[in-house]
Coordinates of all heavy atoms in Angstrom, one line a residue:
M218 N 0.8 -1.2 0.0 CA 0.0 0.0 0.0 C 0.9 1.2 0.0 O 1.8 1.4 0.8 CB -0.9 0.0 1.2 CG -2.3 0.5 0.9 SD -3.4 0.3 2.3 CE -3.0 1.8 3.3
S219 N 0.6 2.1 -1.0 CA 1.5 3.3 -1.1 C 0.7 4.6 -0.7 O 1.2 5.7 -0.9 CB 2.0 3.4 -2.5 OG 0.9 3.6 -3.4
D220 N -0.5 4.4 -0.1 CA -1.2 5.6 0.3 C -0.5 6.4 1.3 O 0.1 5.8 2.2 CB -2.6 5.2 0.8 CG -3.6 4.9 -0.3 OD1 -3.2 5.1 -1.5 OD2 -4.7 4.5 0.0
K221 N -0.5 7.7 1.2 CA 0.2 8.6 2.2 C -0.9 9.4 2.8 O -1.9 9.7 2.2 CB 1.2 9.4 1.5 CG 2.4 8.7 0.9 CD 3.3 8.2 2.0 CE 4.5 7.5 1.4 NZ 5.4 7.0 2.4
Y222 N -0.7 9.8 4.1 CA -1.6 10.6 4.8 C -1.0 12.0 5.1 O 0.2 12.1 5.2 CB -2.0 9.9 6.1 CG -2.6 8.6 5.9 CD1 -1.9 7.4 5.9 CD2 -4.0 8.5 5.6 CE1 -2.5 6.2 5.7 CE2 -4.6 7.2 5.3 CZ -3.8 6.1 5.4 OH -4.4 4.9 5.2
M223 N -1.9 12.9 5.2 CA -1.5 14.3 5.4 C -1.2 14.6 6.9 O -1.9 14.1 7.7 CB -2.6 15.3 4.9 CG -2.1 16.7 5.0 SD -3.5 17.9 4.6 CE -4.3 17.8 6.1
C224 N -0.1 15.3 7.1 CA 0.2 15.7 8.5 C -0.8 16.9 8.8 O -0.8 17.9 8.1 CB 1.6 16.2 8.5 SG 2.0 16.9 10.1
P225 N -1.5 16.7 9.9 CA -2.5 17.8 10.3 C -1.8 19.0 10.9 O -2.4 20.1 11.1 CB -3.4 17.2 11.3 CG -2.6 16.0 11.9 CD -1.7 15.6 10.8
V226 N -0.5 18.9 11.1 CA 0.3 20.0 11.6 C 0.8 20.9 10.5 O 0.6 22.1 10.5 CB 1.5 19.5 12.5 CG1 2.3 20.7 13.0 CG2 0.9 18.7 13.7
C227 N 1.5 20.3 9.6 CA 2.1 21.1 8.5 C 1.6 20.9 7.1 O 1.9 21.7 6.2 CB 3.6 20.8 8.5 SG 4.0 19.1 7.9
G228 N 0.7 19.9 6.9 CA 0.0 19.8 5.6 C 0.8 18.9 4.7 O 0.4 18.7 3.6
F229 N 2.0 18.3 5.1 CA 2.8 17.5 4.3 C 2.1 16.1 4.1 O 1.7 15.5 5.0 CB 4.1 17.3 4.9 CG 5.0 16.3 4.2 CD1 5.4 16.6 2.9 CD2 5.6 15.2 4.8 CE1 6.2 15.7 2.2 CE2 6.4 14.3 4.2 CZ 6.8 14.6 2.8
K230 N 1.9 15.8 2.8 CA 1.2 14.5 2.5 C 2.3 13.4 2.3 O 2.5 12.9 1.2 CB 0.4 14.7 1.2 CG -0.8 15.6 1.4 CD -1.5 15.8 0.1 CE -2.7 16.7 0.3 NZ -3.4 17.1 -1.0
G231 N 2.8 13.0 3.5 CA 3.8 12.0 3.4 C 3.9 11.0 4.6 O 4.8 10.3 4.8
L232 N 2.8 11.0 5.3 CA 2.7 10.1 6.5 C 2.4 8.7 6.0 O 1.5 8.5 5.2 CB 1.7 10.6 7.5 CG 2.0 11.9 8.2 CD1 0.8 12.2 9.2 CD2 3.3 12.0 8.9
D233 N 3.1 7.7 6.6 CA 2.8 6.3 6.2 C 1.5 5.8 6.9 O 0.9 4.8 6.4 CB 4.0 5.4 6.6 CG 5.2 5.7 5.7 OD1 5.0 6.0 4.5 OD2 6.3 5.6 6.2
E234 N 1.2 6.4 8.0 CA 0.0 5.9 8.8 C -0.8 7.1 9.1 O -0.4 8.2 9.2 CB 0.4 5.2 10.1 CG 1.2 3.9 9.9 CD 1.6 3.3 11.2 OE1 0.7 3.1 12.0 OE2 2.8 3.1 11.5
L235 N -2.1 6.8 9.4 CA -3.0 7.9 9.9 C -2.4 8.3 11.3 O -2.0 7.4 12.1 CB -4.4 7.3 10.1 CG -5.4 7.5 8.9 CD1 -6.7 6.8 9.3 CD2 -5.7 9.0 8.7
P236 N -2.4 9.6 11.6 CA -1.9 10.0 12.9 C -2.6 9.4 14.0 O -2.0 9.0 15.0 CB -2.1 11.5 12.9 CG -2.1 11.9 11.4 CD -2.7 10.7 10.7
Y237 N -3.9 9.2 13.9 CA -4.7 8.6 14.9 C -5.7 7.7 14.2 O -6.4 8.1 13.3 CB -5.5 9.6 15.8 CG -4.5 10.4 16.6 CD1 -4.0 11.6 16.1 CD2 -4.1 10.0 17.8 CE1 -3.1 12.3 16.8 CE2 -3.1 10.7 18.5 CZ -2.6 11.9 18.0 OH -1.7 12.6 18.7
N238 N -5.8 6.4 14.6 CA -6.8 5.5 14.0 C -8.2 5.7 14.6 O -8.4 6.6 15.4 CB -6.3 4.1 14.1 CG -6.3 3.6 15.5 OD1 -6.9 4.1 16.4 ND2 -5.6 2.5 15.8
D239 N -9.1 4.9 14.1 CA -10.5 5.0 14.6 C -10.7 4.9 16.1 O -11.6 5.4 16.7 CB -11.4 4.0 13.8 CG -11.5 4.4 12.4 OD1 -11.2 5.6 12.0 OD2 -11.9 3.5 11.6
D240 N -9.8 4.1 16.7 CA -9.8 4.0 18.1 C -9.0 5.0 18.9 O -8.8 4.9 20.1 CB -9.3 2.6 18.5 CG -10.2 1.5 18.0 OD1 -11.4 1.7 17.9 OD2 -9.6 0.4 17.6
K241 N -8.6 6.1 18.1 CA -7.9 7.2 18.7 C -6.5 6.8 19.3 O -6.0 7.4 20.2 CB -8.7 7.9 19.8 CG -10.0 8.5 19.3 CD -10.3 9.9 19.8 CE -11.7 10.4 19.4 NZ -11.9 10.5 17.9
E242 N -6.0 5.7 18.7 CA -4.6 5.3 19.0 C -3.7 6.0 18.1 O -3.8 6.0 16.9 CB -4.5 3.8 18.9 CG -5.3 3.0 19.9 CD -5.5 1.5 19.6 OE1 -5.3 1.2 18.4 OE2 -5.7 0.8 20.5
A243 N -2.6 6.5 18.7 CA -1.6 7.3 17.9 C -0.7 6.4 17.2 O -0.4 5.3 17.6 CB -0.8 8.2 18.9
S244 N -0.2 6.9 16.0 CA 0.7 6.1 15.2 C 2.1 6.2 15.7 O 3.0 5.3 15.5 CB 0.7 6.7 13.8 OG 1.3 8.0 13.8
F245 N 2.4 7.2 16.5 CA 3.8 7.5 17.0 C 4.8 7.7 15.8 O 6.0 7.5 16.0 CB 4.3 6.5 18.0 CG 3.6 6.6 19.3 CD1 2.5 5.8 19.6 CD2 4.0 7.5 20.3 CE1 1.8 6.0 20.8 CE2 3.3 7.7 21.5 CZ 2.2 6.9 21.7
E246 N 4.2 8.0 14.7 CA 5.1 8.3 13.5 C 5.5 9.8 13.7 O 4.8 10.6 14.2 CB 4.3 8.2 12.2 CG 5.1 8.4 11.0 CD 4.3 8.2 9.7 OE1 3.2 7.7 9.8 OE2 4.9 8.4 8.6
I247 N 6.8 10.0 13.3 CA 7.3 11.4 13.3 C 7.2 12.0 11.9 O 7.7 11.4 10.9 CB 8.7 11.5 13.8 CG1 8.7 10.9 15.3 CG2 9.3 12.9 13.8 CD1 10.1 10.9 15.8
C248 N 6.6 13.1 11.7 CA 6.5 13.8 10.4 C 7.9 14.2 9.9 O 8.6 14.8 10.6 CB 5.6 15.0 10.5 SG 5.4 15.9 8.9
A249 N 8.2 13.7 8.7 CA 9.5 14.1 8.1 C 9.7 15.5 7.9 O 10.8 16.0 7.8 CB 9.7 13.3 6.8
C250 N 8.6 16.2 7.8 CA 8.6 17.7 7.5 C 8.8 18.5 8.8 O 9.8 19.1 9.0 CB 7.4 18.1 6.7 SG 7.4 19.8 6.2
C251 N 7.7 18.5 9.6 CA 7.7 19.4 10.8 C 8.3 18.7 12.0 O 8.6 19.4 13.0 CB 6.3 19.9 11.0 SG 5.1 18.7 11.5
G252 N 8.4 17.4 12.0 CA 9.0 16.7 13.2 C 8.1 16.4 14.3 O 8.5 16.0 15.4
F253 N 6.8 16.6 14.0 CA 5.8 16.4 15.1 C 5.6 14.9 15.3 O 5.5 14.1 14.3 CB 4.4 17.0 14.6 CG 3.4 17.1 15.7 CD1 3.3 18.2 16.5 CD2 2.5 16.0 15.9 CE1 2.3 18.3 17.5 CE2 1.6 16.1 16.9 CZ 1.5 17.2 17.7
E254 N 5.6 14.4 16.5 CA 5.4 13.0 16.8 C 4.0 12.8 17.3 O 3.7 13.2 18.4 CB 6.4 12.4 17.7 CG 6.3 10.9 18.0 CD 7.4 10.3 18.8 OE1 8.3 11.0 19.2 OE2 7.3 9.1 19.1
F255 N 3.2 12.1 16.6 CA 1.8 11.9 17.0 C 1.7 10.9 18.2 O 2.3 9.8 18.2 CB 0.9 11.3 15.8 CG 1.0 12.3 14.7 CD1 1.8 12.2 13.6 CD2 0.2 13.4 14.7 CE1 1.9 13.1 12.6 CE2 0.2 14.4 13.7 CZ 1.1 14.2 12.7
G256 N 1.0 11.4 19.2 CA 0.9 10.6 20.4 C 1.9 11.0 21.5 O 1.7 10.7 22.7
F257 N 3.0 11.6 21.0 CA 4.0 12.0 22.0 C 3.9 13.5 22.2 O 3.9 14.0 23.3 CB 5.4 11.7 21.4 CG 6.5 12.1 22.3 CD1 6.8 11.4 23.5 CD2 7.2 13.3 22.1 CE1 7.8 11.8 24.3 CE2 8.3 13.7 22.9 CZ 8.5 12.9 24.0
D258 N 3.9 14.3 21.1 CA 3.8 15.7 21.2 C 2.4 16.2 21.5 O 2.2 17.4 21.9 CB 4.3 16.4 19.9 CG 5.8 16.3 19.8 OD1 6.5 16.6 20.9 OD2 6.3 16.1 18.7
N259 N 1.4 15.4 21.3 CA 0.0 15.8 21.7 C -0.9 14.6 21.7 O -0.5 13.5 21.6 CB -0.5 16.8 20.7 CG -1.2 16.1 19.5 OD1 -0.8 15.0 19.1 ND2 -2.1 16.8 18.9
D260 N -2.2 14.9 22.0 CA -3.2 13.8 22.1 C -4.2 14.0 21.0 O -5.4 13.6 21.2 CB -3.8 13.9 23.5 CG -4.3 15.3 23.9 OD1 -4.3 16.2 23.0 OD2 -4.6 15.5 25.0
G261 N -3.9 14.7 20.0 CA -4.9 14.9 18.9 C -5.6 16.2 19.0 O -6.5 16.5 18.2
A262 N -5.3 17.1 19.9 CA -6.0 18.3 20.1 C -5.6 19.4 19.1 O -4.4 19.6 18.9 CB -5.8 18.9 21.5
A263 N -6.5 20.0 18.5 CA -6.2 20.9 17.3 C -5.4 22.1 17.8 O -4.5 22.6 17.0 CB -7.5 21.4 16.7
D264 N -5.6 22.6 19.0 CA -4.8 23.8 19.4 C -3.4 23.5 19.5 O -2.5 24.3 19.3 CB -5.4 24.4 20.6 CG -5.4 23.5 21.8 OD1 -5.5 22.3 21.6 OD2 -5.3 24.0 23.0
K265 N -3.0 22.2 19.9 CA -1.6 21.8 20.0 C -1.0 21.8 18.6 O 0.2 22.1 18.4 CB -1.5 20.5 20.7 CG -2.0 20.6 22.1 CD -1.3 19.7 23.1 CE -1.8 19.8 24.5 NZ -1.9 18.6 25.2
Y266 N -1.8 21.3 17.6 CA -1.3 21.3 16.3 C -0.9 22.8 15.9 O 0.1 23.0 15.3 CB -2.3 20.8 15.3 CG -2.6 19.3 15.3 CD1 -3.8 18.9 14.8 CD2 -1.7 18.5 15.9 CE1 -4.1 17.5 14.8 CE2 -2.0 17.1 15.9 CZ -3.2 16.6 15.4 OH -3.5 15.3 15.4
N267 N -1.9 23.7 16.2 CA -1.7 25.1 15.8 C -0.4 25.7 16.4 O 0.4 26.4 15.8 CB -2.9 25.9 16.1 CG -4.1 25.5 15.2 OD1 -3.9 25.0 14.1 ND2 -5.3 25.7 15.8
N268 N -0.3 25.4 17.7 CA 0.9 26.0 18.4 C 2.2 25.4 17.9 O 3.1 26.1 17.7 CB 0.8 25.6 19.9 CG -0.3 26.5 20.6 OD1 -0.6 27.5 20.2 ND2 -0.8 26.0 21.8
F269 N 2.2 24.1 17.6 CA 3.4 23.5 17.1 C 3.7 24.1 15.7 O 4.9 24.4 15.5 CB 3.2 22.0 17.0 CG 4.5 21.2 16.8 CD1 5.2 20.6 17.8 CD2 4.9 21.1 15.5 CE1 6.3 19.9 17.6 CE2 6.1 20.4 15.2 CZ 6.8 19.8 16.3
R270 N 2.7 24.2 14.9 CA 2.9 24.8 13.6 C 3.4 26.2 13.6 O 4.4 26.5 12.9 CB 1.6 24.8 12.8 CG 1.7 25.3 11.4 CD 0.4 25.5 10.7 NE -0.4 24.3 10.8 CZ -1.6 24.3 11.5 NH1 -2.1 25.3 12.1 NH2 -2.3 23.1 11.6
L271 N 2.9 27.0 14.5 CA 3.3 28.4 14.6 C 4.8 28.5 15.0 O 5.6 29.3 14.5 CB 2.4 29.2 15.5 CG 1.0 29.5 15.0 CD1 0.2 30.1 16.1 CD2 1.0 30.4 13.8
N272 N 5.1 27.7 16.0 CA 6.5 27.6 16.5 C 7.5 27.1 15.4 O 8.6 27.6 15.2 CB 6.6 26.7 17.7 CG 6.4 27.5 19.0 OD1 7.0 28.6 19.1 ND2 5.7 27.0 19.9
W273 N 7.0 26.1 14.7 CA 7.8 25.5 13.6 C 8.1 26.5 12.5 O 9.2 26.7 12.1 CB 7.1 24.3 13.1 CG 7.7 23.6 11.9 CD1 8.9 23.0 11.9 CD2 7.2 23.6 10.6 NE1 9.1 22.5 10.6 CE2 8.1 22.9 9.8 CE3 6.0 24.1 10.0 CZ2 7.9 22.6 8.4 CZ3 5.8 23.8 8.6 CH2 6.8 23.1 7.9
I274 N 7.1 27.3 12.1 CA 7.2 28.3 11.1 C 8.1 29.4 11.6 O 9.0 29.9 10.9 CB 5.9 28.8 10.6 CG1 5.1 27.7 9.9 CG2 6.0 30.1 9.7 CD1 3.6 28.0 9.6
K275 N 7.9 29.8 12.9 CA 8.7 30.9 13.5 C 10.2 30.5 13.5 O 11.0 31.4 13.4 CB 8.2 31.1 14.9 CG 8.6 32.5 15.5 CD 7.8 32.8 16.8 CE 8.4 32.0 17.9 NZ 7.7 32.2 19.2
N276 N 10.5 29.2 13.7 CA 11.9 28.8 13.8 C 12.4 28.5 12.4 O 13.5 27.8 12.3 CB 12.0 27.6 14.7 CG 11.7 28.0 16.1 OD1 12.2 29.0 16.6 ND2 11.0 27.2 16.9
G277 N 11.7 28.9 11.3 CA 12.3 28.7 10.0 C 11.7 27.6 9.2 O 12.2 27.3 8.1
A278 N 10.7 26.9 9.7 CA 10.0 25.8 9.0 C 11.1 24.8 8.4 O 11.0 24.4 7.3 CB 9.2 26.3 7.9
N279 N 12.0 24.4 9.3 CA 13.0 23.4 8.9 C 12.5 22.0 8.8 O 11.7 21.6 9.7 CB 14.2 23.5 9.8 CG 14.9 24.8 9.8 OD1 15.2 25.3 8.7 ND2 15.1 25.4 10.9
W280 N 13.0 21.2 7.9 CA 12.6 19.8 7.7 C 13.3 19.0 8.8 O 14.5 19.1 9.0 CB 12.9 19.3 6.3 CG 11.8 19.6 5.4 CD1 11.4 20.9 5.0 CD2 10.9 18.7 4.7 NE1 10.3 20.8 4.2 CE2 10.0 19.5 4.0 CE3 10.9 17.3 4.7 CZ2 9.0 18.9 3.2 CZ3 9.9 16.7 3.9 CH2 9.0 17.5 3.2
F281 N 12.5 18.1 9.4 CA 13.0 17.2 10.4 C 13.9 16.2 9.7 O 15.0 15.8 10.2 CB 11.8 16.4 11.1 CG 12.2 15.5 12.2 CD1 12.7 16.0 13.4 CD2 12.1 14.1 12.0 CE1 13.1 15.1 14.4 CE2 12.5 13.3 13.0 CZ 13.0 13.8 14.2
L282 N 13.5 15.7 8.5 CA 14.4 14.8 7.7 C 14.7 15.6 6.4 O 13.9 15.4 5.4 CB 13.7 13.5 7.5 CG 13.4 12.6 8.7 CD1 12.6 11.4 8.3 CD2 14.7 12.3 9.5
P283 N 15.7 16.4 6.3 CA 15.9 17.2 5.2 C 16.1 16.4 3.9 O 15.7 17.0 2.8 CB 17.2 17.9 5.5 CG 17.4 17.8 7.0 CD 16.7 16.6 7.4
D284 N 16.5 15.2 3.9 CA 16.7 14.4 2.7 C 15.3 14.0 2.1 O 15.3 13.5 0.9 CB 17.6 13.2 2.8 CG 17.1 12.3 4.0 OD1 16.6 12.8 5.0 OD2 17.3 11.1 3.9
K285 N 14.2 14.2 2.8 CA 12.9 13.9 2.3 C 12.3 15.1 1.7 O 11.2 15.0 1.1 CB 12.0 13.4 3.4 CG 12.5 12.1 4.1 CD 11.6 11.0 3.8 CE 12.1 9.7 4.5 NZ 11.2 8.6 4.4
K286 N 12.9 16.2 1.7 CA 12.3 17.5 1.3 C 12.3 17.5 -0.3 O 13.4 17.4 -0.9 CB 13.1 18.6 1.8 CG 12.6 20.0 1.4 CD 13.5 21.1 2.1 CE 13.1 22.5 1.7 NZ 14.0 23.5 2.3
P287 N 11.2 17.7 -0.9 CA 11.1 17.8 -2.4 C 11.8 19.0 -2.8 O 11.9 20.1 -2.2 CB 9.6 17.9 -2.7 CG 8.9 17.5 -1.4 CD 9.8 17.8 -0.3
K288 N 12.4 18.9 -4.0 CA 13.2 20.0 -4.6 C 12.4 21.3 -4.8 O 12.8 22.4 -4.6 CB 13.8 19.6 -5.9 CG 15.1 18.8 -5.8 CD 15.9 18.7 -7.1 CE 17.1 17.8 -7.0 NZ 16.6 16.3 -6.9
D289 N 11.1 21.1 -5.2 CA 10.3 22.2 -5.5 C 9.3 22.5 -4.3 O 8.2 23.0 -4.5 CB 9.4 21.9 -6.7 CG 8.6 20.7 -6.6 OD1 8.8 19.9 -5.6 OD2 7.7 20.5 -7.4
W290 N 9.8 22.2 -3.1 CA 8.9 22.4 -1.9 C 8.5 23.8 -1.7 O 9.4 24.7 -1.9 CB 9.6 21.9 -0.7 CG 8.8 21.8 0.5 CD1 7.7 21.1 0.7 CD2 8.9 22.7 1.7 NE1 7.1 21.4 2.0 CE2 7.9 22.3 2.6 CE3 9.8 23.6 2.1 CZ2 7.7 22.9 3.8 CZ3 9.7 24.2 3.4 CH2 8.7 23.9 4.2
D291 N 7.3 24.0 -1.4 CA 6.7 25.4 -1.2 C 5.9 25.4 0.1 O 4.8 24.7 0.1 CB 5.9 25.8 -2.4 CG 5.4 27.2 -2.3 OD1 5.1 27.7 -1.2 OD2 5.3 27.9 -3.4
L292 N 6.4 26.0 1.1 CA 5.7 26.0 2.4 C 4.2 26.5 2.3 O 3.3 25.9 2.8 CB 6.4 26.9 3.4 CG 5.7 27.1 4.8 CD1 5.5 25.8 5.5 CD2 6.5 28.1 5.6
N293 N 4.1 27.6 1.6 CA 2.7 28.2 1.6 C 1.7 27.3 0.8 O 0.6 27.1 1.2 CB 2.7 29.6 0.9 CG 3.4 30.6 1.8 OD1 3.2 30.6 3.0 ND2 4.2 31.4 1.3
K294 N 2.3 26.6 -0.3 CA 1.4 25.7 -1.0 C 1.0 24.5 -0.1 O -0.1 24.1 -0.1 CB 2.2 25.2 -2.2 CG 1.3 24.9 -3.4 CD 2.2 24.4 -4.6 CE 2.6 25.4 -5.6 NZ 3.4 24.9 -6.7
Q295 N 2.0 24.1 0.7 CA 1.7 22.9 1.6 C 0.7 23.3 2.6 O -0.2 22.5 3.0 CB 3.0 22.4 2.2 CG 2.8 21.2 3.1 CD 4.1 20.7 3.6 OE1 4.9 20.2 2.8 NE2 4.4 20.8 4.9
L296 N 0.8 24.5 3.2 CA -0.1 24.9 4.2 C -1.5 25.0 3.7 O -2.5 24.9 4.5 CB 0.3 26.3 4.8 CG 1.6 26.3 5.6 CD1 2.0 27.7 6.0 CD2 1.5 25.4 6.9
E297 N -1.7 25.2 2.4 CA -3.0 25.3 1.8 C -3.7 23.9 1.9 O -4.9 23.9 1.9 CB -2.9 25.7 0.3 CG -2.8 27.2 0.2 CD -2.7 27.7 -1.2 OE1 -3.1 27.0 -2.1 OE2 -2.1 28.8 -1.4
N298 N -2.9 22.8 2.0 CA -3.5 21.5 2.2 C -4.4 21.5 3.5 O -5.3 20.6 3.6 CB -2.5 20.4 2.3 CG -1.7 20.3 1.0 OD1 -2.2 20.6 0.0 ND2 -0.5 19.7 1.1
L299 N -4.1 22.3 4.4 CA -4.7 22.3 5.7 C -6.1 23.0 5.7 O -6.9 22.8 6.6 CB -3.9 23.0 6.8 CG -2.5 22.3 7.1 CD1 -1.7 23.2 7.9 CD2 -2.7 21.0 7.8
K300 N -6.3 23.8 4.7 CA -7.6 24.5 4.5 C -8.6 23.6 3.9 O -8.4 23.1 2.8 CB -7.4 25.8 3.7 CG -6.5 26.8 4.4 CD -6.2 28.0 3.5 CE -5.2 28.9 4.1 NZ -4.4 29.6 3.0
V301 N -9.7 23.4 4.6 CA -10.7 22.5 4.1 C -11.8 23.2 3.3 O -12.1 24.3 3.7 CB -11.4 21.7 5.3 CG1 -12.3 20.7 4.7 CG2 -10.4 21.1 6.1
Ligands
ZN490 ZN1 4.2 17.7 9.6

């Protein structure tokens, strides 16, 4: 299965697992982009996503795993993924 899931913190569509499954169990996956660890850095609360995102952007929006960063990466374009 090659489906990827979107990170609800930074909008990066590269998660191997859903951050939280139907039983609200965390994946404990770390987002390659923003470095957020689901289940460790929060419990799925939206305001924690927002705080983490704001801090991440304030600190330069650096990739947690820089070798996964696409060449044509665009932060603003990625953040638009978060708008429903
Ligand atoms: Zn992320």
Side-chain angles (χ1 to χ4, degrees):
M218 217 174 83
S219 63
D220 281 355
K221 296 284 184 182
Y222 299 96
M223 187 187 78
C224 173
V226 177
C227 68
F229 177 57
K230 291 178 180 170
L232 298 180
D233 291 324
E234 295 180 57
L235 268 174
Y237 295 90
N238 66 18
D239 290 342
D240 296 324
K241 303 222 183 297
E242 292 166 336
S244 67
F245 288 94
E246 184 175 356
I247 298 177
C248 177
C250 181
C251 66
F253 194 91
E254 183 174 357
F255 300 97
F257 179 78
D258 284 317
N259 87 332
D260 51 9
D264 60 332
K265 296 207 179 145
Y266 289 161
N267 292 334
N268 286 339
F269 192 97
R270 181 188 311 115
L271 290 173
N272 270 316
W273 174 67
I274 293 170
K275 200 170 77 183
N276 290 319
N279 294 311
W280 274 63
F281 182 71
L282 299 175
D284 55 324
K285 299 246 181 177
K286 181 178 176 178
K288 280 194 184 74
D289 59 348
W290 187 66
D291 184 325
L292 172 64
N293 290 321
K294 213 184 262 180
Q295 182 173 292
L296 290 175
E297 280 178 22
N298 293 338
L299 297 167
K300 294 174 190 155
V301 184

